């Protein structure tokens, strides 16, 4: 089974938590593993965002964390300029989604990637 | 999901009237029954409390940020390597002893990595500023503000904490009206991220137009719907034309044009918002009209406004990394 990891900044720990309204200083990331054939969620984990309390370079620290976790797709609010560059550098695809739950953000990202 | 919508007043250029407009907007919107919290996101030059006449705070909390190096005299051999490597020249020799100037040190760790004696230690949780709260400004809404100490790093972290505090005070559905700092740096980026609507203030000068273009680039990056207010519109007809041309080309709606008016600095001296101090002045009337437009055209159905004026496709500004 082929899977892909989607990283979503979140206010909470679960798939039903709201997507955070910022990237670099979001409290958490939910890393969601999705079956690439069926689009079903296989597993997920909540991870502390090192950018949350960072004085400077918060967005880049957050991007680095997603890279370490093997995330290939980011779904959430637009990251700042430096963070965006870092995500590009890491080969992480950015999909802008706001105002929904983590679960819905993952769905929206997969839909956008599929189209 | 609890909906808290951020509206940011920004300009790029400083001194164009952000805080004056923000205070009038906040007072007028609250008067019209809009539930809001005002937030001053300019910790280097926080002025919103001054234009609102807030002199005392209900709470003042310390803001911690960064670290500062110091040298343990008992371990130091005065070899001077720290002085050579410090990128900020923060290491000084006083009475033949190496010491770190704590006003210059930014806690980058370079000296501690280079020191052969491991004599460099750090003070963490440096008090870099404060976050202040006024639960009732007297105009029907709370105010969150902040200050940063001279020389301490003013990061987006402080703005994030100010906005989070405002969200807590709002306690549920409502609006957060953010008075952004000048410029397009970290603090302004932090003000814009997560926002839905930006009220951009410009005056008809080449410098203001140049800075308007730079702040507009950031609103496009963050998918924020921009709207324009031209302040002191009558001081330079050619400059006004340039600004309105730009707004037209870029599909930025114009919310209003404020005439040059000497009641503005006078109101600031009284410690009252312009619309309270000089309600009949031309500038006050024009700003109240802007507030009416914000209430009736934007906030009444902000989603509709947002989907009409937000960037149609993501237009991220991405710096190149080699």
């Amino acid at each position: 089974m082929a899977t892909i990891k989607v990283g979503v900044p979140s206010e909470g720990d679960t798939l039903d938590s709201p997507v955070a309204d910022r990237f670099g200083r979001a409290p958490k990331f939910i890393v969601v593993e999705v079956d690439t054939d069926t689009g079903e969620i296989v597993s997920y984990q909540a991870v502390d965002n090192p950018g949350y309390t960072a004085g400077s370079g918060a967005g880049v620290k957050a991007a680095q964390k997603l890279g370490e976790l093997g995330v290939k797709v980011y779904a959430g609010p637009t990251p700042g300029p430096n963070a965006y560059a870092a995500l590009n550098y890491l080969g992480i695809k950015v999909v802008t989604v706001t105002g929904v739950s983590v679960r819905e953000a993952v769905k929206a990202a997969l839909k956008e990637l599929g189209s | 999901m609890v909906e808290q919508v951020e509206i940011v007043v920004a300009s790029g250029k400083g001194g164009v009237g952000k805080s004056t407009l923000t205070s009038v907007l906040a007072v007028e919107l609250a008067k019209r029954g809009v539930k809001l919290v005002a937030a001053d996101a300019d910790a280097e030059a926080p002025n919103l409390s001054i234009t609102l006449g807030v002199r005392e705070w209900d709470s003042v909390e310390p803001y911690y940020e960064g670290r500062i190096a110091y040298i343990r005299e008992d371990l130091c051999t005065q070899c001077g390597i720290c002085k050579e490597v410090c990128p900020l020249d923060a290491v000084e020799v006083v009475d033949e002893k190496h010491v770190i100037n704590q006003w210059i040190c930014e806690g980058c760790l370079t000296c501690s990595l280079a020191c052969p004696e491991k004599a460099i230690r750090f003070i963490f949780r440096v008090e870099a500023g404060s976050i202040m709260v006024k639960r009732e400004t007297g105009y029907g809404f709370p105010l969150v503000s902040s200050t940063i100490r001279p020389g301490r790093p003013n990061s987006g972290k402080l703005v994030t904490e100010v906005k989070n505090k405002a969200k807590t005070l709002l306690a549920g559905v409502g609006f957060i009206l953010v008075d952004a700092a000048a410029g397009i740096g970290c603090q302004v980026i932090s003000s814009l991220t997560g926002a839905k609507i930006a009220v951009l203030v410009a005056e008809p000068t080449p410098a203001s137009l140049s800075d308007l273009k730079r702040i507009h680039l950031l609103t496009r990056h963050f998918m924020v719907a921009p709207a324009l207010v031209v302040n002191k519109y009558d001081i330079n007809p050619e400059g006004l034309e340039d600004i309105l041309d730009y707004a037209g080309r870029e599909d930025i709606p114009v919310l209003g044009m404020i005439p040059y008016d000497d009641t503005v600095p006078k109101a600031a001296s009284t410690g009252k918002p312009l619309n309270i101090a000089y309600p009949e002045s031309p500038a006050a009337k024009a700003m109240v009209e802007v507030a009416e437009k914000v209430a009736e055209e934007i906030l009444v159905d902000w989603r509709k406004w947002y989907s009409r004026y937000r960037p149609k496709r993501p237009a991220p500004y991405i710096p190149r990394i080699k």
Side-chain angles (χ1 to χ4, degrees):
Chain A
M1 180 181 67
T3 61
I4 190 168
K5 282 183 181 172
V6 183
V8 185
S10 168
E11 299 289 345
D13 287 328
T14 73
L15 291 172
D16 296 311
S17 302
V19 172
D21 61 10
R22 51 203 303 133
F23 172 73
R25 290 192 175 84
K28 302 259 177 179
F29 282 110
I30 310 290
V31 177
V32 185
E33 194 180 5
V34 183
D35 185 323
T36 48
D37 297 323
T38 63
E40 296 294 317
I41 291 172
V42 179
S43 69
Y44 74 92
Q45 60 172 139
V47 183
D48 285 335
N49 172 17
Y52 184 46
T53 52
S56 58
V60 174
K61 287 190 179 85
Q64 224 165 357
K65 186 75 185 175
L66 293 185
E68 283 165 17
L69 293 165
V71 167
K72 294 289 171 222
V73 178
Y74 162 78
T78 313
N82 291 334
Y84 212 119
L87 289 169
N88 279 359
Y89 184 82
L90 291 164
I92 298 173
K93 166 100 180 137
V94 175
V95 179
T96 306
V97 195
T98 57
V100 295
S101 69
V102 171
R103 189 192 303 276
E104 289 164 61
V106 170
K107 219 180 273 181
L110 292 176
K111 197 176 156 199
E112 179 149 336
L113 290 178
S115 64
Chain B
M1 215 164 282
V2 176
E3 199 150 72
Q4 301 187 322
V5 181
E6 295 171 27
I7 301 167
V8 180
V9 180
S11 64
K13 188 179 179 303
V16 296
K18 281 185 299 299
S19 297
T20 303
L21 180 66
T22 306
S23 58
V24 175
L25 282 182
V27 171
E28 291 295 324
L29 292 175
K31 208 188 272 180
R32 285 163 177 74
V34 175
K35 191 179 156 209
L36 70 99
V37 175
D40 193 339
D42 185 359
E44 291 187 21
N47 294 151
L48 193 55
S49 61
I50 297 170
T51 53
L52 287 168
V54 171
R55 292 193 178 82
E56 285 170 3
W57 301 100
D58 294 320
S59 74
V60 179
E61 289 169 17
Y63 167 70
Y64 298 107
E65 153 90 68
R67 59 187 167 233
I68 294 175
Y70 68 95
I71 298 170
R72 266 185 59 176
E73 213 184 303
D74 55 330
L75 299 175
C76 178
T77 59
Q78 310 301 335
C79 70
I81 291 175
C82 53
K83 188 166 165 46
E84 280 168 36
V85 298
C86 176
L88 297 175
D89 283 334
V91 183
E92 296 167 359
V93 180
V94 179
D95 296 337
E96 295 177 0
K97 283 176 189 154
H98 286 79
V99 291
I100 291 170
N101 184 329
Q102 301 201 334
W103 288 96
I104 298 173
C105 176
E106 290 186 359
C108 75
L109 301 174
T110 308
C111 58
S112 70
L113 296 171
C115 175
E117 308 300 329
K118 304 209 181 314
I120 315 264
R121 300 299 154 90
F122 289 89
I123 304 164
F124 289 93
R125 281 176 69 80
V126 180
E127 199 175 318
S130 316
I131 295 177
M132 297 91 78
V133 170
K134 184 77 176 173
R135 291 186 177 278
E136 176 47 67
T137 50
Y139 300 107
F141 60 89
L143 170 68
V144 185
S145 186
S146 60
T147 59
I148 196 85
R149 292 189 175 178
R152 296 318 307 161
N154 181 12
S155 72
K157 183 184 168 196
L158 179 52
V159 174
T160 307
E161 291 191 11
V162 166
K163 291 214 285 190
N164 286 344
K165 177 70 80 180
K167 286 175 187 174
T168 311
L169 281 170
L170 191 57
V173 179
F175 294 89
I176 295 169
L177 189 62
V178 180
D179 186 12
I184 54 165
C186 188
Q187 317 174 63
V188 179
I189 283 177
S190 197
S191 298
L192 284 173
T193 181
K196 292 293 180 224
I197 290 153
V199 176
L200 304 180
V201 187
E203 58 187 25
T205 62
S208 185
L209 176 58
S210 171
D211 293 350
L212 172 69
K213 290 175 181 172
R214 290 159 70 79
I215 192 83
H216 181 221
L217 178 107
L218 279 183
T219 62
R220 289 204 305 274
H221 175 100
F222 284 111
M223 303 284 281
V224 179
L228 179 69
V229 172
V230 185
N231 195 13
K232 309 172 207 172
Y233 79 89
D234 47 357
I235 58 172
N236 179 11
E238 278 171 35
L240 177 63
E241 205 172 304
D242 292 342
I243 285 194
L244 295 179
D245 279 353
Y246 181 76
R249 270 201 313 279
E250 297 290 332
D251 194 28
I252 305 174
V254 179
L255 290 180
M257 305 217 287
I258 319 296
Y260 179 83
D261 187 338
D262 67 1
T263 60
V264 175
K266 284 182 191 161
S269 313
T270 67
K272 284 180 186 156
L274 178 65
N275 53 328
I276 303 294
Y278 296 96
E280 295 304 317
S281 74
K285 284 182 168 172
M287 285 192 193
V288 170
E289 267 177 47
V290 170
E292 270 165 13
K293 263 193 159 174
V294 170
E296 288 163 18
E297 293 177 24
I298 302 180
L299 302 192
V300 69
D301 186 356
W302 72 266
R303 285 171 186 284
K304 193 175 156 200
W305 176 274
Y306 180 69
S307 63
R308 164 66 185 87
Y309 289 107
R310 77 182 169 96
K312 293 301 165 273
R313 62 189 70 82
Y317 166 75
I318 306 170
R320 286 176 61 158
I321 297 180
K322 289 201 175 160

